[in-house]
């Protein structure tokens, strides 16, 4: 067993009522960047994603297609699993709530809540949104002509049925105390404040079973009821850690999760209901729930009726995978909402990737290939300018770590691109092409400094653009265990500098410019 600290991170599990869209891709990519960064920083990461397959919404989507729910789920879940591959997501596990292990875990959690005296039989009469799979009280709804909608614009239906309830009201004070003792439990801070306000109003008991349809996990001891889809879905995180086998090595190592990454729309479920369920079950709570923002398409909500739904495949095929990953991570401060426009994507590709980083690599590696016999050049003494550029690069472990402690992925990228800018200014100022005739020894030193700084930059951009970074490292002949490829990549274990004389492959460009006709 490794002596590295563990880090268990999850995405939300996606409903399989339809194919993956850009919002799902955004969550998968951003969580992947965090997971990859943590691996680079020496953690033993367990990264989980998966699909949420029960409930009324999925059942009715299946029926609308004339399919049995399970066959329908198999079909759509396969698309989500495929998305993790096409987007180069480095998840270690993929969970489906229709798996037997998850039924066992959900039923075990239910039994714990019963044993704690937190479940009682009653009946629910009220509004339900199938889209959100959530109950709404009248005062939460908004009027739209002659009908009522949720604040998020979803339709509601009136339901009346026998239901088991969870004594959520009994957890208000414990949750407030937990928030106060753990100020980062729910993040970013403005989301935490919203949740705190909600908690301070006092919680009502929660309906946790349904009887009017069948697609779900049967309630232990009362088959008429199926477990409310959110109680079922949230349990996925602990199922994947091996629950209910609390003695297993895996569970003891990985539970509780360190971070749940979810969209802002489902913070309440994760940062209020989930910790309350876990408190009742006597299981440790996750370290943090982070709510990221929503992506819009040119400022508009993505929706089937507007016909503006962007699929991850379409974006990847048009712009390239690393380009897409970079754009989504750089353009939108993580935690905020953000608008996706073709102009902004092209601008980021051509300026940050092609001009700034791509060109830096291409210029330097081509000069080395032509003027240094295709080997890492032998440096002479370093000048103040050389040392300043090294110092900027060598500050990256600290700077990126500070940004990532706040999950500020965009700030990590800003820090890296400041060094890209420094390196480009250094090339221009040192003009190695002019040194070729006048001072070849100095040219060697300058190209050595640049090659090594490119190596360091490539190591730090790996979490966001793994393919391109791997190509840069390959061109610098950096072996896997020193930061290239998929090998061990602990910052602390990185060798200080490139070895002069190392033979390099012929260089190739990693970030081509995006030319508009390409889109056609
Ligand atoms: N099944 C629930 C989550 C259960 S977790 C125990 C669910 N599924 S979902 O398919 O609707 O959404 C999956 C994730 O994608 C959620 O975190 C959601 O916030 C996120 N997004 C959905 N649309 C999005 C955007 N337009 N932009 C960014 N993220 C979005 O909720």
């Amino acid at each position: 067993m490794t002596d590295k600290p563990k880090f268990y991170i999850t995405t939300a599990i996606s409903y399989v009522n339809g194919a993956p869209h850009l919002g799902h891709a955004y969550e998968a990519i951003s969580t992947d960047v965090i997971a990859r960064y943590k691996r680079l920083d020496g953690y033993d990461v367990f990264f989980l994603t998966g699909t949420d397959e029960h409930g009324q919404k999925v059942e009715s989507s299946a029926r609308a297609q004339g399919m049995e729910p399970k066959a329908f789920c198999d079909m759509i879940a396969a698309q989500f699993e495929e998305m993790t591959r096409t987007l180069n997501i480095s998840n270690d596990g993929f969970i489906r709530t229709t798996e037997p292990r998850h039924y066992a875990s959900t039923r075990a959690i239910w039994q714990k809540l019963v044993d704690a005296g937190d479940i009682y039989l009653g009946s629910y009469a009220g509004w339900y949104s199938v889209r959100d799979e959530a109950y709404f009280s009248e005062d939460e709804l908004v009027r739209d002509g002659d009908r009522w909608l949720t604040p998020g614009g979803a339709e509601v239906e009136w339901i009346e049925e026998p239901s088991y309830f969870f004594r959520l009201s009994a957890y208000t004070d414990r949750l407030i105390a937990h928030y106060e003792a753990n100020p980062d439990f729910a993040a970013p801070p403005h989301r935490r404040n919203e949740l705190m306000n909600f908690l301070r109003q006092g919680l009502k008991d929660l309906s946790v079973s349904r009887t009017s349809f069948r697609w779900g996990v049967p309630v232990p001891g009362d088959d008429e009821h199926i477990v409310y889809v959110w109680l079922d879905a949230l349990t996925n995180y602990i199922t994947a850690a091996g629950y209910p086998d609390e003695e297993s090595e895996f569970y003891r190592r990985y539970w509780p999760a360190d971070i749940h990454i979810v969209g802002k729309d489902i913070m309440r479920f994760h940062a209020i209901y989930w910790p309350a369920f876990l408190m009742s079950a006597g299981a440790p709570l996750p370290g943090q729930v982070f709510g990221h923002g929503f992506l819009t398409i040119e400022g508009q909500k993505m929706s089937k009726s507007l016909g503006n739904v962007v699929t991850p495949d379409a974006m990847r095929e048009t712009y390239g995978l690393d380009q897409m990953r970079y754009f989504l991570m750089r353009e939108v401060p993580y935690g905020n909402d953000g608008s996706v426009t073709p102009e902004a994507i092209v601008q980021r590709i051509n300026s940050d990737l092609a001009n700034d980083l791509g060109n830096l690599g291409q210029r330097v590696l081509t000069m080395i290939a032509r003027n240094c016999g295709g080997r890492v050049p032998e440096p002479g003494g370093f000048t103040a300018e050389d040392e300043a550029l090294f110092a900027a690069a060598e500050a990256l472990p600290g700077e990126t770590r500070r940004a990532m402690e706040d999950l500020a992925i965009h700030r990590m990228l800003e820090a890296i691109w400041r060094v890209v800018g420094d390196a480009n200014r250094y090339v221009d100022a040192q003009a190695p092409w002019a040194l070729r005739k006048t001072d070849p020894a100095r040219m060697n030193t300058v190209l050595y400094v640049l090659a090594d700084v490119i190596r360091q930059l490539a190591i730090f951009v790996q979490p966001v653009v793994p393919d391109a970074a791997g190509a840069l490292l390959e061109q610098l002949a950096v072996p896997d265990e020193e930061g290239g490829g998929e090998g061990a990549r602990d910052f602390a274990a990185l060798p200080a500098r490139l070895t002069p004389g190392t033979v390099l492959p012929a260089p190739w460009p990693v970030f081509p410019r995006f030319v508009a006709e390409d889109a056609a």
Side-chain angles (χ1 to χ4, degrees):
M1 184 156 268
T2 166
D3 54 6
K4 292 176 172 187
K6 72 91 184 177
F7 184 76
Y8 178 15
I9 183 168
T10 69
T11 65
I13 51 173
S14 303
Y15 288 125
V16 291
N17 60 310
H21 59 64
L22 198 60
H24 299 119
Y26 179 65
E27 187 168 296
I29 291 170
S30 56
T31 310
D32 184 52
V33 169
I34 301 164
R36 285 176 185 266
Y37 184 88
K38 284 288 180 179
R39 288 192 199 103
L40 264 180
D41 202 13
Y43 287 81
D44 163 32
V45 172
F46 180 59
F47 168 16
L48 179 75
T49 187
T51 42
D52 183 355
E53 306 191 4
H54 292 132
Q56 213 176 332
K57 167 150 109 172
V58 170
E59 188 188 66
S60 66
S61 301
R63 302 274 181 234
Q65 300 288 315
M67 289 177 80
E68 282 304 313
K70 182 59 168 62
F72 180 74
C73 289
D74 288 346
M75 178 181 81
I76 308 278
Q79 297 177 16
F80 277 93
E81 239 183 304
E82 178 62 16
M83 180 184 80
T84 66
R85 285 188 287 271
T86 53
L87 297 180
N88 206 353
I89 305 301
S90 65
N91 57 302
D92 302 288
F94 191 96
I95 186 162
R96 300 182 52 188
T97 54
T98 48
E99 291 175 58
R101 62 170 170 160
H102 182 67
Y103 275 63
S105 167
T106 303
R107 291 166 67 92
I109 284 271
W110 179 278
Q111 196 55 52
K112 287 275 172 136
L113 308 190
V114 171
D115 295 346
D118 284 332
I119 298 284
Y120 62 89
L121 186 60
S123 71
Y124 180 81
W127 297 102
Y128 192 78
S129 155
V130 176
R131 191 191 80 184
D132 299 327
E133 295 283 16
Y135 305 93
F136 285 85
S137 62
E138 207 122 279
D139 56 7
E140 289 175 299
L141 299 177
V142 288
R143 190 95 208 166
D144 175 59
D146 55 0
R147 57 186 190 156
W148 290 99
L149 296 177
T150 70
E155 285 180 22
V156 286
E157 59 185 49
W158 183 260
I159 58 173
E160 276 188 47
E161 58 191 39
S163 170
Y164 286 98
F165 283 81
F166 172 72
R167 251 180 251 287
L168 185 61
S169 56
Y171 287 87
T172 306
D173 294 341
R174 284 178 67 185
L175 286 167
I176 290 176
H178 186 75
Y179 273 57
E180 280 167 352
N182 302 276
D184 295 330
F185 176 69
H190 63 280
R191 302 264 166 248
R192 172 185 193 269
N193 296 342
E194 283 168 15
L195 292 160
M196 241 337 194
N197 291 339
F198 182 72
L199 280 171
R200 290 214 168 97
Q201 290 164 24
L203 297 170
K204 293 196 204 74
D205 288 353
L206 180 70
S207 161
V208 286
S209 76
R210 300 285 311 270
T211 43
S212 50
F213 67 99
R214 296 303 310 155
W215 184 233
V217 179
V219 165
D222 190 349
D223 276 3
E224 296 294 300
H225 292 251
I226 60 156
V227 176
Y228 172 42
V229 66
W230 270 102
L231 173 51
D232 160 349
L234 289 160
T235 301
N236 91 85
Y237 304 124
I238 200 167
T239 302
Y243 196 82
D245 185 357
E246 294 169 273
E247 297 309 315
S248 74
E249 215 173 293
F250 196 83
Y251 179 85
R252 286 164 55 168
R253 176 150 179 80
Y254 290 103
W255 191 259
D258 293 84
I259 299 189
H260 295 310
I261 300 289
V262 303
K264 62 177 186 178
D265 57 325
I266 56 174
M267 281 298 274
R268 188 183 293 185
F269 299 93
H270 283 82
I272 292 182
Y273 299 172
W274 180 225
F277 296 151
L278 289 169
M279 283 173 178
S280 174
L285 308 194
Q288 184 173 63
V289 179
F290 183 90
H292 62 72
F294 259 51
L295 291 185
T296 58
I297 303 301
E298 307 199 48
Q300 285 205 303
K301 188 174 166 163
M302 246 184 295
S303 86
K304 281 187 192 145
S305 51
L306 288 173
N308 67 345
V309 177
V310 173
T311 67
D313 282 346
M315 189 163 174
R316 179 177 53 84
E317 282 158 15
T318 306
Y319 301 104
L321 174 58
D322 279 351
Q323 286 83 349
M324 164 182 180
R325 290 175 58 111
Y326 177 80
F327 169 76
L328 292 174
M329 294 303 99
R330 180 65 189 267
E331 187 72 8
V332 185
Y334 200 47
N336 293 6
D337 294 338
S339 166
V340 173
T341 68
E343 296 75 22
I345 301 172
V346 172
Q347 163 70 20
R348 287 287 180 192
I349 292 175
N350 287 344
S351 119
D352 301 11
L353 296 180
N355 273 355
D356 297 348
L357 180 59
N359 218 7
L360 173 69
Q362 180 69 3
R363 274 162 106 189
V364 170
L365 289 160
T366 310
M367 278 189 273
I368 292 177
R370 291 199 186 134
N371 305 314
C372 311
R375 290 171 183 264
V376 175
E378 181 79 50
F382 294 125
T383 64
E385 289 83 356
D386 304 345
E387 296 292 2
L389 186 58
F390 276 138
E394 282 153 18
L396 284 175
E399 284 186 25
T400 58
R401 196 177 285 130
R402 271 192 296 284
M404 292 303 278
E405 270 161 15
D406 300 336
L407 300 185
I409 301 174
H410 57 289
R411 261 176 36 219
M412 168 184 73
L413 287 170
E414 282 160 20
I416 299 171
W417 255 259
R418 275 198 297 277
V419 180
V420 172
D422 292 343
N424 276 315
R425 278 185 294 277
Y426 172 93
V427 185
D428 293 340
Q430 301 294 324
W433 52 89
L435 292 167
R436 194 165 75 97
K437 290 235 162 55
T438 58
D439 190 351
R442 177 63 194 153
M443 175 195 74
N444 283 342
T445 306
V446 167
L447 291 177
Y448 178 84
V449 171
L450 284 164
D452 193 68
V453 167
I454 292 169
R455 173 188 67 99
Q456 300 192 49
L457 290 167
I459 287 168
F460 284 95
V461 294
Q462 287 180 108
V464 180
V465 291
D467 289 341
L472 278 173
L473 290 166
E474 199 180 324
Q475 294 181 53
L476 289 163
V478 177
D480 271 8
E481 63 279 12
E482 293 180 11
E486 292 294 318
R489 295 174 292 181
D490 191 335
F491 292 150
L494 294 174
R497 299 272 159 87
L498 282 170
T499 310
T502 307
V503 177
L504 302 178
W508 66 93
V510 294
F511 287 121
R513 283 184 70 78
F514 181 86
V515 188
E517 290 80 59
D518 291 0

